[in-house]
Amino acid sequence: MPSDFPFYSVITTIQPPTSSVRRLSRKLSGCEGQLLIIGDKKGPATYPLAGAELVTIEAQRALPFQLAPLLPEGHYVRKNLGYLLAIQRKAACIYETDDDNAPLPHWQPRQLKVKAKQVTAAGWHNVYEHFSQRSDLIWPRGFPVEMLAKAPGKKRTLLGKLDQFSAPIQQGLANGSPDVDAIWRLVLDKPFDFQENCSLFLAAGTWCPFNSQSTWWWPEAYPLMYLPSFCTFRMTDIWRSYIAQRCLWAIGKGVAFHAAEAHQDRNQHNLLRDFADEVPGYLQANRIIECLAALKLRRGKNAMGENLLACYQALVNIGIFPEKELGLVTAWLADLAQG
Protein backbone atom coordinates (compact mmCIF):
# COMPACT_ATOMS: atom_id res chain seq x y z
CA MET A 1 0.00 0.00 0.00
CA PRO A 2 1.28 3.52 -0.77
CA SER A 3 2.66 5.39 2.23
CA ASP A 4 4.95 8.07 0.79
CA PHE A 5 2.39 10.66 -0.32
CA PRO A 6 2.34 14.07 1.40
CA PHE A 7 -1.43 14.27 1.27
CA TYR A 8 -4.44 12.09 0.57
CA SER A 9 -7.84 12.69 -0.93
CA VAL A 10 -10.64 10.49 0.42
CA ILE A 11 -14.02 9.81 -1.18
CA THR A 12 -16.68 7.14 -0.86
CA THR A 13 -18.60 5.87 -3.88
CA ILE A 14 -20.75 3.07 -5.28
CA GLN A 15 -20.08 4.12 -8.88
CA PRO A 16 -17.33 3.56 -11.42
CA PRO A 17 -15.07 6.60 -11.93
CA THR A 18 -17.16 9.69 -12.60
CA SER A 19 -15.97 12.63 -14.68
CA SER A 20 -15.58 14.59 -11.44
CA VAL A 21 -13.29 11.96 -9.92
CA ARG A 22 -11.27 11.77 -13.12
CA ARG A 23 -10.65 15.51 -12.94
CA LEU A 24 -9.63 15.19 -9.31
CA SER A 25 -7.27 12.36 -10.15
CA ARG A 26 -5.57 14.47 -12.81
CA LYS A 27 -5.08 17.27 -10.30
CA LEU A 28 -3.67 14.88 -7.70
CA SER A 29 -1.21 13.36 -10.16
CA GLY A 30 0.42 16.76 -10.54
CA CYS A 31 0.94 17.38 -6.83
CA GLU A 32 1.91 14.00 -5.35
CA GLY A 33 -1.51 13.30 -3.92
CA GLN A 34 -3.04 9.84 -3.42
CA LEU A 35 -6.72 9.15 -4.04
CA LEU A 36 -8.40 6.69 -1.68
CA ILE A 37 -11.74 5.30 -2.83
CA ILE A 38 -13.92 3.72 -0.14
CA GLY A 39 -16.47 1.34 -1.66
CA ASP A 40 -19.59 -0.16 -0.14
CA LYS A 41 -22.00 -3.10 -0.49
CA LYS A 42 -23.14 -1.98 -3.94
CA GLY A 43 -19.57 -1.80 -5.21
CA PRO A 44 -17.59 -1.01 -7.15
CA ALA A 45 -15.54 -4.21 -7.37
CA THR A 46 -12.78 -2.55 -9.39
CA TYR A 47 -11.86 1.07 -10.07
CA PRO A 48 -10.14 1.54 -13.44
CA LEU A 49 -8.50 4.88 -12.77
CA ALA A 50 -4.75 5.45 -12.67
CA GLY A 51 -3.55 6.76 -9.32
CA ALA A 52 -6.65 5.67 -7.41
CA GLU A 53 -6.66 3.01 -4.70
CA LEU A 54 -9.97 1.25 -4.16
CA VAL A 55 -10.74 -0.23 -0.74
CA THR A 56 -13.66 -2.60 -1.34
CA ILE A 57 -16.16 -3.55 1.34
CA GLU A 58 -14.41 -6.92 1.67
CA ALA A 59 -11.06 -5.21 2.20
CA GLN A 60 -12.63 -2.87 4.74
CA ARG A 61 -13.87 -5.81 6.79
CA ALA A 62 -10.29 -7.05 7.04
CA LEU A 63 -8.81 -3.75 8.19
CA PRO A 64 -7.13 -3.81 11.63
CA PHE A 65 -9.36 -1.07 13.00
CA GLN A 66 -11.73 -1.50 15.94
CA LEU A 67 -14.16 0.79 14.13
CA ALA A 68 -14.36 -1.34 10.96
CA PRO A 69 -16.88 -3.98 12.18
CA LEU A 70 -18.96 -1.37 14.02
CA LEU A 71 -19.73 0.94 11.11
CA PRO A 72 -23.02 0.34 9.27
CA GLU A 73 -22.74 -0.85 5.68
CA GLY A 74 -24.55 0.91 2.87
CA HIS A 75 -23.76 4.19 4.64
CA TYR A 76 -21.68 7.31 3.99
CA VAL A 77 -19.83 6.86 7.29
CA ARG A 78 -17.72 4.10 5.70
CA LYS A 79 -15.62 7.16 4.81
CA ASN A 80 -14.24 7.04 8.37
CA LEU A 81 -12.10 4.08 7.31
CA GLY A 82 -10.55 6.15 4.54
CA TYR A 83 -9.60 8.79 7.08
CA LEU A 84 -8.03 6.17 9.34
CA LEU A 85 -6.02 4.69 6.47
CA ALA A 86 -4.69 8.09 5.43
CA ILE A 87 -3.85 8.98 9.04
CA GLN A 88 -2.14 5.62 9.57
CA ARG A 89 0.03 6.39 6.53
CA LYS A 90 1.12 9.69 8.11
CA ALA A 91 -0.70 11.96 5.69
CA ALA A 92 0.44 15.56 6.11
CA CYS A 93 -2.98 16.74 4.96
CA ILE A 94 -6.29 15.11 3.97
CA TYR A 95 -8.62 16.54 1.34
CA GLU A 96 -12.08 15.01 1.44
CA THR A 97 -14.64 15.36 -1.26
CA ASP A 98 -17.44 13.45 -3.03
CA ASP A 99 -17.64 11.70 -6.39
CA ASP A 100 -19.81 14.46 -7.87
CA ASN A 101 -17.45 17.33 -7.00
CA ALA A 102 -14.79 18.26 -9.57
CA PRO A 103 -11.93 20.63 -8.80
CA LEU A 104 -11.99 23.94 -10.65
CA PRO A 105 -8.97 24.86 -12.81
CA HIS A 106 -7.41 26.99 -10.03
CA TRP A 107 -7.71 24.18 -7.44
CA GLN A 108 -4.43 23.38 -5.72
CA PRO A 109 -3.30 21.97 -2.36
CA ARG A 110 -3.87 24.44 0.44
CA GLN A 111 -1.60 25.48 3.29
CA LEU A 112 -2.32 25.34 7.01
CA LYS A 113 -1.88 29.10 7.35
CA VAL A 114 -4.37 31.19 5.41
CA LYS A 115 -4.77 34.86 4.64
CA ALA A 116 -8.31 35.75 5.64
CA LYS A 117 -10.62 38.22 7.34
CA GLN A 118 -11.82 37.18 10.77
CA VAL A 119 -15.51 37.05 11.61
CA THR A 120 -15.99 37.93 15.28
CA ALA A 121 -19.79 38.11 15.49
CA ALA A 122 -21.02 35.78 18.22
CA GLY A 123 -23.60 33.21 17.20
CA TRP A 124 -24.51 32.09 13.69
CA HIS A 125 -22.85 33.59 10.61
CA ASN A 126 -24.01 32.75 7.09
CA VAL A 127 -20.68 32.45 5.27
CA TYR A 128 -22.40 32.10 1.89
CA GLU A 129 -23.46 35.77 2.06
CA HIS A 130 -19.81 36.80 1.85
CA PHE A 131 -19.40 35.01 -1.48
CA SER A 132 -22.68 36.07 -3.12
CA GLN A 133 -24.68 39.12 -4.16
CA ARG A 134 -26.66 40.84 -1.43
CA SER A 135 -29.83 40.06 -3.36
CA ASP A 136 -29.10 36.31 -3.34
CA LEU A 137 -30.80 34.28 -0.67
CA ILE A 138 -28.57 31.28 -0.10
CA TRP A 139 -27.31 29.50 2.98
CA PRO A 140 -25.28 26.37 3.77
CA ARG A 141 -26.89 23.07 4.66
CA GLY A 142 -27.12 22.98 8.45
CA PHE A 143 -27.62 26.72 8.90
CA PRO A 144 -30.77 27.34 11.00
CA VAL A 145 -33.52 28.55 8.70
CA GLU A 146 -35.13 30.63 11.46
CA MET A 147 -32.06 32.90 11.32
CA LEU A 148 -32.48 33.80 7.65
CA ALA A 149 -34.97 36.64 8.18
CA LYS A 150 -32.82 38.36 10.83
CA ALA A 151 -31.10 41.33 9.20
CA PRO A 152 -29.77 39.56 6.09
CA GLY A 153 -26.41 40.94 5.00
CA LYS A 154 -25.81 42.87 8.22
CA LYS A 155 -22.98 40.65 9.43
CA ARG A 156 -20.96 41.32 6.28
CA THR A 157 -19.60 44.41 8.06
CA LEU A 158 -18.34 42.47 11.11
CA LEU A 159 -15.01 41.53 9.56
CA GLY A 160 -11.48 42.22 10.73
CA LYS A 161 -8.55 43.22 8.56
CA LEU A 162 -6.91 40.73 6.22
CA ASP A 163 -4.53 38.73 8.41
CA GLN A 164 -2.77 35.35 8.72
CA PHE A 165 -4.49 32.52 10.59
CA SER A 166 -3.69 28.90 11.34
CA ALA A 167 -6.78 26.91 10.33
CA PRO A 168 -6.49 23.09 10.62
CA ILE A 169 -9.92 22.72 8.97
CA GLN A 170 -10.70 24.62 5.78
CA GLN A 171 -13.85 24.51 3.68
CA GLY A 172 -13.95 25.36 -0.02
CA LEU A 173 -17.29 26.20 -1.61
CA ALA A 174 -18.73 24.51 -4.70
CA ASN A 175 -20.26 26.17 -7.74
CA GLY A 176 -22.99 24.74 -9.93
CA SER A 177 -25.02 22.88 -7.34
CA PRO A 178 -23.66 24.18 -4.01
CA ASP A 179 -24.21 22.47 -0.70
CA VAL A 180 -27.57 23.81 0.45
CA ASP A 181 -30.49 22.21 2.24
CA ALA A 182 -33.63 20.71 0.72
CA ILE A 183 -35.70 23.82 1.52
CA TRP A 184 -33.48 25.92 -0.76
CA ARG A 185 -33.66 23.31 -3.51
CA LEU A 186 -37.43 22.88 -3.26
CA VAL A 187 -38.12 26.64 -3.31
CA LEU A 188 -35.21 28.41 -5.02
CA ASP A 189 -33.32 25.74 -6.93
CA LYS A 190 -31.17 26.98 -9.80
CA PRO A 191 -27.57 26.68 -10.96
CA PHE A 192 -25.51 28.95 -8.72
CA ASP A 193 -21.94 30.22 -8.89
CA PHE A 194 -20.36 32.04 -5.97
CA GLN A 195 -18.44 35.28 -6.35
CA GLU A 196 -14.75 35.57 -5.66
CA ASN A 197 -13.95 37.17 -2.32
CA CYS A 198 -11.31 36.94 0.38
CA SER A 199 -11.31 33.92 2.68
CA LEU A 200 -13.01 34.06 6.08
CA PHE A 201 -11.78 32.76 9.43
CA LEU A 202 -14.39 32.19 12.13
CA ALA A 203 -13.38 33.29 15.61
CA ALA A 204 -14.36 31.35 18.72
CA GLY A 205 -18.07 31.75 19.36
CA THR A 206 -18.97 32.20 15.68
CA TRP A 207 -20.77 29.22 14.14
CA CYS A 208 -21.29 28.15 10.55
CA PRO A 209 -21.77 24.56 9.38
CA PHE A 210 -19.25 23.06 7.00
CA ASN A 211 -19.62 19.90 4.93
CA SER A 212 -17.54 16.99 3.64
CA GLN A 213 -17.53 17.93 -0.04
CA SER A 214 -14.38 20.03 -0.47
CA THR A 215 -12.73 20.11 2.92
CA TRP A 216 -9.10 20.22 4.01
CA TRP A 217 -7.84 18.73 7.30
CA TRP A 218 -4.44 18.93 9.02
CA PRO A 219 -3.08 16.52 11.67
CA GLU A 220 -4.03 18.48 14.78
CA ALA A 221 -7.67 18.28 13.64
CA TYR A 222 -7.61 14.63 12.51
CA PRO A 223 -9.43 13.35 15.63
CA LEU A 224 -12.33 15.63 14.67
CA MET A 225 -12.89 13.93 11.29
CA TYR A 226 -15.11 11.24 12.82
CA LEU A 227 -18.50 11.03 11.08
CA PRO A 228 -21.27 9.87 13.45
CA SER A 229 -23.35 6.84 12.45
CA PHE A 230 -26.49 7.24 14.54
CA CYS A 231 -28.01 10.28 12.90
CA THR A 232 -29.47 10.86 9.44
CA PHE A 233 -27.28 10.83 6.35
CA ARG A 234 -27.90 14.54 5.73
CA MET A 235 -26.77 15.47 9.23
CA THR A 236 -23.66 13.34 9.79
CA ASP A 237 -21.12 15.80 8.38
CA ILE A 238 -23.08 18.84 9.62
CA TRP A 239 -23.26 17.75 13.24
CA ARG A 240 -19.61 16.74 12.98
CA SER A 241 -18.87 20.32 11.92
CA TYR A 242 -20.48 21.80 15.04
CA ILE A 243 -18.47 19.48 17.27
CA ALA A 244 -15.24 20.15 15.37
CA GLN A 245 -15.62 23.92 15.69
CA ARG A 246 -16.17 23.70 19.43
CA CYS A 247 -13.10 21.49 19.86
CA LEU A 248 -10.91 23.79 17.75
CA TRP A 249 -11.71 26.71 20.02
CA ALA A 250 -10.14 24.80 22.91
CA ILE A 251 -6.76 24.99 21.12
CA GLY A 252 -7.19 28.59 20.02
CA LYS A 253 -7.94 27.66 16.39
CA GLY A 254 -10.90 27.89 14.04
CA VAL A 255 -12.30 27.02 10.62
CA ALA A 256 -11.53 28.92 7.41
CA PHE A 257 -13.88 29.22 4.42
CA HIS A 258 -12.72 29.87 0.85
CA ALA A 259 -14.37 30.94 -2.37
CA ALA A 260 -15.44 28.16 -4.72
CA GLU A 261 -12.72 25.65 -5.57
CA ALA A 262 -14.95 22.88 -6.96
CA HIS A 263 -17.98 22.40 -9.20
CA GLN A 264 -20.70 20.02 -8.13
CA ASP A 265 -22.56 18.06 -10.78
CA ARG A 266 -24.94 16.68 -8.19
CA ASN A 267 -25.85 13.01 -8.10
CA GLN A 268 -29.57 12.34 -8.31
CA HIS A 269 -31.43 13.00 -5.04
CA ASN A 270 -35.00 12.66 -3.83
CA LEU A 271 -35.54 16.14 -2.38
CA LEU A 272 -38.44 15.16 -0.13
CA ARG A 273 -36.33 12.35 1.31
CA ASP A 274 -33.49 14.84 1.82
CA PHE A 275 -35.95 17.17 3.57
CA ALA A 276 -37.09 14.39 5.89
CA ASP A 277 -33.46 13.55 6.69
CA GLU A 278 -32.78 17.21 7.47
CA VAL A 279 -35.72 17.74 9.83
CA PRO A 280 -33.63 16.86 12.93
CA GLY A 281 -31.15 19.52 11.83
CA TYR A 282 -33.82 22.19 11.39
CA LEU A 283 -35.17 21.43 14.84
CA GLN A 284 -31.97 20.79 16.80
CA ALA A 285 -29.23 23.10 15.46
CA ASN A 286 -29.58 25.76 18.16
CA ARG A 287 -29.99 23.18 20.90
CA ILE A 288 -26.77 21.45 19.79
CA ILE A 289 -24.61 24.57 19.72
CA GLU A 290 -25.99 25.77 23.06
CA CYS A 291 -25.04 22.43 24.58
CA LEU A 292 -21.57 22.48 23.03
CA ALA A 293 -20.91 26.13 23.91
CA ALA A 294 -21.68 25.42 27.57
CA LEU A 295 -19.08 22.64 27.82
CA LYS A 296 -15.85 23.22 29.71
CA LEU A 297 -13.27 21.53 27.52
CA ARG A 298 -9.62 21.00 28.31
CA ARG A 299 -7.06 23.26 26.67
CA GLY A 300 -4.30 21.94 24.47
CA LYS A 301 -3.80 19.66 21.48
CA ASN A 302 -3.30 16.58 23.65
CA ALA A 303 -6.86 16.85 24.92
CA MET A 304 -8.48 16.74 21.46
CA GLY A 305 -9.69 13.14 21.73
CA GLU A 306 -10.92 13.64 25.28
CA ASN A 307 -12.79 16.77 24.21
CA LEU A 308 -14.34 14.99 21.22
CA LEU A 309 -15.69 12.28 23.50
CA ALA A 310 -16.96 14.92 25.96
CA CYS A 311 -18.91 16.60 23.16
CA TYR A 312 -20.55 13.34 22.13
CA GLN A 313 -21.33 12.45 25.73
CA ALA A 314 -23.02 15.82 26.22
CA LEU A 315 -25.10 15.33 23.06
CA VAL A 316 -26.05 11.83 24.17
CA ASN A 317 -27.16 13.31 27.49
CA ILE A 318 -29.63 15.65 25.75
CA GLY A 319 -30.89 12.96 23.36
CA ILE A 320 -29.24 14.06 20.10
CA PHE A 321 -27.35 10.76 19.76
CA PRO A 322 -28.15 7.38 21.29
CA GLU A 323 -25.75 5.90 23.83
CA LYS A 324 -24.39 3.42 21.25
CA GLU A 325 -22.71 6.27 19.33
CA LEU A 326 -20.18 6.50 22.16
CA GLY A 327 -18.93 2.99 21.43
CA LEU A 328 -18.00 4.03 17.89
CA VAL A 329 -16.34 7.25 19.05
CA THR A 330 -14.30 5.24 21.56
CA ALA A 331 -13.26 2.77 18.84
CA TRP A 332 -12.30 5.66 16.56
CA LEU A 333 -10.08 7.16 19.25
CA ALA A 334 -8.49 3.77 19.99
CA ASP A 335 -7.69 3.34 16.29
CA LEU A 336 -6.11 6.80 16.17
CA ALA A 337 -3.98 5.96 19.19
CA GLN A 338 -2.64 2.88 17.36
CA GLY A 339 -1.61 4.96 14.36
Side-chain angles (χ1 to χ4, degrees), residues 13 15-23 47 49 98-100 267:
T13 190
Q15 305 184 87
T18 63
S19 60
S20 295
V21 177
R22 291 184 184 279
R23 284 168 61 182
Y47 207 78
L49 181 63
D98 288 337
D99 64 2
D100 55 0
N267 292 327

Side-chain angles (χ1 to χ4, degrees), residues 53-302:
E53 177 187 351
L54 171 65
V55 186
T56 64
I57 191 72
E58 292 79 16
Q60 292 168 38
R61 292 169 184 152
L63 288 172
F65 299 135
Q66 293 184 31
L67 188 61
L70 302 179
L71 290 172
E73 296 184 0
H75 199 297
Y76 189 72
V77 297
R78 305 301 300 180
K79 206 174 188 182
N80 282 315
L81 299 177
Y83 307 152
L84 287 173
L85 279 170
I87 294 167
Q88 183 187 64
R89 298 175 188 182
K90 311 301 181 188
C93 178
I94 298 174
Y95 174 69
E96 67 166 334
T97 185
D98 288 337
D99 64 2
D100 55 0
N101 280 255
L104 292 173
H106 65 265
W107 182 101
Q108 60 182 350
R110 293 198 175 273
Q111 302 298 316
L112 174 62
K113 291 189 176 179
V114 300
K115 191 173 285 187
K117 289 187 177 182
Q118 182 171 232
V119 183
T120 55
W124 293 103
H125 184 83
N126 180 3
V127 164
Y128 282 13
E129 286 187 337
H130 179 71
F131 299 101
S132 58
Q133 299 275 2
R134 284 182 181 265
S135 59
D136 290 327
L137 181 58
I138 189 166
W139 60 93
R141 177 169 53 95
F143 191 84
V145 291
E146 67 269 27
M147 300 297 295
L148 296 174
K150 296 186 178 181
K154 183 179 179 181
K155 289 189 178 181
R156 291 173 192 246
T157 62
L158 303 176
L159 303 179
K161 295 180 180 179
L162 205 60
D163 206 345
Q164 198 89 356
F165 298 94
S166 178
I169 305 174
Q170 298 176 32
Q171 169 81 83
L173 304 190
N175 284 338
S177 186
D179 189 44
V180 292
D181 61 30
I183 292 177
W184 192 93
R185 294 198 191 283
L186 287 165
V187 178
L188 300 168
D189 197 23
K190 61 180 179 179
F192 190 96
D193 285 356
F194 290 102
Q195 292 187 316
E196 286 295 318
N197 209 340
C198 66
S199 299
L200 293 183
F201 176 84
L202 270 54
T206 303
W207 301 86
C208 185
F210 64 86
N211 57 53
S212 58
Q213 295 183 0
S214 189
T215 316
W216 301 84
W217 299 77
W218 278 265
E220 59 191 321
Y222 283 171
L224 308 179
M225 296 190 79
Y226 172 76
L227 288 167
S229 292
F230 295 104
C231 61
T232 69
F233 161 71
R234 297 287 290 172
M235 287 295 105
T236 181
D237 58 339
I238 299 303
W239 287 358
R240 173 184 70 171
S241 79
Y242 303 155
I243 294 166
Q245 286 171 84
R246 179 63 186 92
C247 290
L248 283 187
W249 301 344
I251 61 170
K253 301 290 176 70
V255 178
F257 290 81
H258 304 292
E261 62 183 13
H263 183 280
Q264 184 179 88
D265 184 12
R266 197 169 191 245
N267 292 327
Q268 187 173 358
H269 280 242
N270 180 313
L271 292 181
L272 288 179
R273 187 178 302 147
D274 282 354
F275 174 80
D277 272 358
E278 291 167 5
V279 166
Y282 301 138
L283 299 179
Q284 302 290 357
N286 277 303
R287 189 161 173 248
I288 290 172
I289 69 158
E290 287 167 6
C291 174
L292 295 174
L295 288 177
K296 303 221 177 270
L297 300 183
R298 281 187 56 203
R299 298 281 179 181
K301 298 176 185 178
N302 293 335

Side-chain angles (χ1 to χ4, degrees), residues 20-40:
S20 295
V21 177
R22 291 184 184 279
R23 284 168 61 182
L24 174 62
S25 179
R26 289 194 291 270
K27 283 286 189 180
L28 293 174
S29 67
C31 52
E32 300 182 14
Q34 171 69 28
L35 179 57
L36 273 175
I37 310 291
I38 305 301
D40 212 323

